[in-house]
Amino acid sequence: NAGVTQTPKFQVLKTGQSMTLQCAQDMNHEYMSWYRQDPGMGLRLIHYSVGAGITDQGEVPNGYNVSRSTTEDFPLRLLSAAPSQTSVYFCASRPQTNTEAFFGQGTRLTVV
Amino acid sequence: ILNVEQSPQSLHVQEGDSTNFTCSFPSSNFYALHWYRWETAKSPEALFVMTLNGDEKKKGRISATLNTKEGYSYLYIKGSQPEDSATYLCASKDYGQNFVFGPGTRLSVLP
């Protein structure tokens, strides 16, 4: 019963470094998404995917890339980290686009 | 992008008090509304999925109503307990692909 698994839980990066946040789900959900959560703001959608091989931009996509080569995995790549990307990141999956979301544990990222 | 608002931003209640808070969303092209409960250091978990005008959902001491014509949903907690302390998020969706989350209401229940 793993659900949605995110790694790492914590990460500190230097400005300009790149990294990949991993997300995997074992529920055979078609829809996966990445959010960032900043103080005083709701969860904001970064990128999403409606199925393997299909990705699209959300509300705040700049500075991030995604890919969806399998149904299970949806990694988020930071190309060149900036202090503005300091945030808590959540991966989520849904069986369909209008159903409830299942969230991973979150990744707290600090860019110095 | 939808504008989803929640009020109040935060509130403190005494154990045993009942409380409620509001989620406001655009009423045009409404498709669905979700409520989530988010405890500190954990992931958000779904409370309710609501789609029809007049929907009322209940889970234990927590209930929610939906008015799609005027664009709001209320979440009620009866007899608040310290374990109800959390941030409550709503998310609304129109006929597009994605849900938009409100900023949340942070509830603290004091023993």
Side-chain angles (χ1 to χ4, degrees), chain A residues 31 35 37 40-45 48 50 57-59 88 90 94 97-106, chain B residues 1 9 31-32 34 36 38 41-46 49 51 89 91 93 96-104:
Chain A
Y31 186 94
Y35 295 89
Q37 196 272 325
M41 307 184 78
L43 294 164
R44 291 186 293 166
L45 184 65
Y48 66 97
V50 298
Q57 297 181 349
E59 182 186 351
V88 181
F90 285 94
R94 308 173 190 269
T97 58
N98 61 325
T99 53
E100 66 188 81
F102 294 82
F103 287 88
Q105 307 95 316
Chain B
I1 294 176
Q9 185 176 10
Y31 190 81
H34 294 175
Y36 292 84
W38 188 5
K42 294 187 178 180
S43 325
E45 292 185 349
V49 174
T51 56
L89 297 171
K93 182 180 184 298
Q97 286 280 14
N98 302 304
F99 280 88
V100 175
F101 283 83

